[in-house]
Amino acid sequence: QQPVQSPQAVILREGEDAVINCSSSKALYSVHWYRQKHGEAPIFLMILLKGGEQKGHDKISASFNEKKQQSSLYLTASQLSYSGTYFCGTEGVDSSYKLIFGSGTRLLVRP
Amino acid sequence: EAGVAQSPRYKIIEKRQSVAFWCNPISGHATLYWYQQILGQGPKLLIQFQNNGVVDDSQLPKDRFSAERLKGVDSTLKIQPAKLEDSAVYLCASSPDAWSDEKLFFGSGTQLSVL
């Protein structure tokens, strides 16, 4: 089943923060986050595994709440380069490495 | 290292015609995926290969879509005959293996327009 992402779209000023959420009705083993710019391939951001810790690099981090089957992506002090569509991909505990992607969250960072 | 290569970049066909897409994954990657991405939506998994075997093709419309990865390296995805609703970007991705902590490397995709 496809994970649900929220919000569907968000507009920020440069330097502002944003949170993107991803929730599933199934028990999850892992959550992947990717960013895609218009006309380009999705680019990997990070993976969170069941039992793992919150991850992050630079000013982008993510958490995984196993009990709620939810993950959140945190973008702090956003930069113009953060603009794009963010997708979460979820792997169920019974789905053998099969990633199901959400519909995406469109992020626009303005100067 | 070279990325995932896909061709063609764009394809325009009329409904009921056939079309084929080609993907060459990153060297050494055992797992290869084909995703369909309709405008405004997330990628939808069509088929997953592990080497030259099919791991999952539950979402592949088998009456019109077929895919193969004969030597466990490059892969082709075919649509025959195409329908209007097949208009989408077809993304190929690969990963070193099918493990939960393996990230996917995507190609730039083939944008298909069915008229």
Side-chain angles (χ1 to χ4, degrees):
Chain A
Q1 281 178 318
Q2 186 179 39
V4 176
Q5 289 188 233
S6 63
Q8 288 187 313
V10 59
I11 300 175
L12 300 174
R13 291 282 183 194
E14 198 172 7
E16 292 181 337
D17 302 341
V19 180
I20 299 172
N21 300 303
C22 173
S23 63
S24 174
S25 58
K26 295 175 56 174
L28 299 178
Y29 186 77
S30 71
V31 180
H32 296 221
W33 285 97
Y34 291 79
R35 177 173 61 210
Q36 184 178 32
K37 293 184 181 287
H38 183 68
E40 299 181 9
I43 299 298
F44 170 80
L45 294 176
M46 63 189 74
I47 295 173
L48 300 104
L49 300 177
K50 181 180 170 68
E53 298 177 349
Q54 180 165 334
K55 286 196 172 182
H57 58 83
D58 197 11
K59 295 174 182 174
I60 300 176
S61 61
S63 62
F64 179 19
N65 185 325
E66 299 166 33
K67 292 181 180 178
K68 294 185 177 181
Q69 285 92 255
Q70 289 179 350
S71 178
S72 295
L73 185 72
Y74 306 96
L75 306 166
T76 58
S78 59
Q79 306 169 16
L80 297 177
S81 61
Y82 287 4
S83 293
T85 302
Y86 290 77
F87 294 101
C88 67
T90 56
E91 176 196 6
V93 293
D94 58 350
S95 55
S96 302
Y97 324 121
K98 176 180 171 180
L99 268 189
I100 308 295
F101 285 94
S103 294
T105 295
R106 294 185 180 183
L107 176 72
L108 176 62
V109 181
R110 291 180 171 171
Chain B
E1 76 187 343
V4 177
Q6 287 189 250
S7 67
R9 187 74 178 88
Y10 303 95
K11 191 73 178 179
I12 300 173
I13 61 172
E14 294 188 350
K15 60 182 179 182
R16 291 188 288 274
Q17 286 187 323
S18 60
V19 64
F21 313 127
W22 175 81
C23 171
N24 192 16
I26 293 173
S27 178
H29 279 196
T31 312
L32 185 146
Y33 312 79
W34 282 103
Y35 283 90
Q36 179 193 57
Q37 187 174 26
I38 293 173
L39 187 64
Q41 298 182 18
K44 172 189 169 184
L45 179 66
L46 292 176
I47 189 167
Q48 177 180 342
F49 291 95
Q50 182 69 10
N51 296 308
N52 60 350
V54 175
V55 173
D56 188 295
D57 63 357
S58 57
Q59 300 267 60
L60 188 74
K62 298 181 186 64
D63 58 334
R64 299 185 299 108
F65 286 64
S66 64
E68 58 183 14
R69 192 185 185 198
L70 290 177
K71 296 182 179 179
V73 181
D74 56 350
S75 175
T76 54
L77 176 70
K78 297 179 182 178
I79 307 175
Q80 182 179 7
K83 293 184 175 181
L84 297 177
E85 59 261 35
D86 297 333
S87 294
V89 174
Y90 290 85
L91 293 166
C92 178
S94 70
S95 63
D97 212 326
W99 296 108
S100 298
D101 59 350
E102 295 280 13
K103 65 182 182 181
L104 271 60
F105 296 81
F106 284 89
S108 296
T110 295
Q111 185 171 328
L112 174 67
S113 296
V114 183
L115 306 178

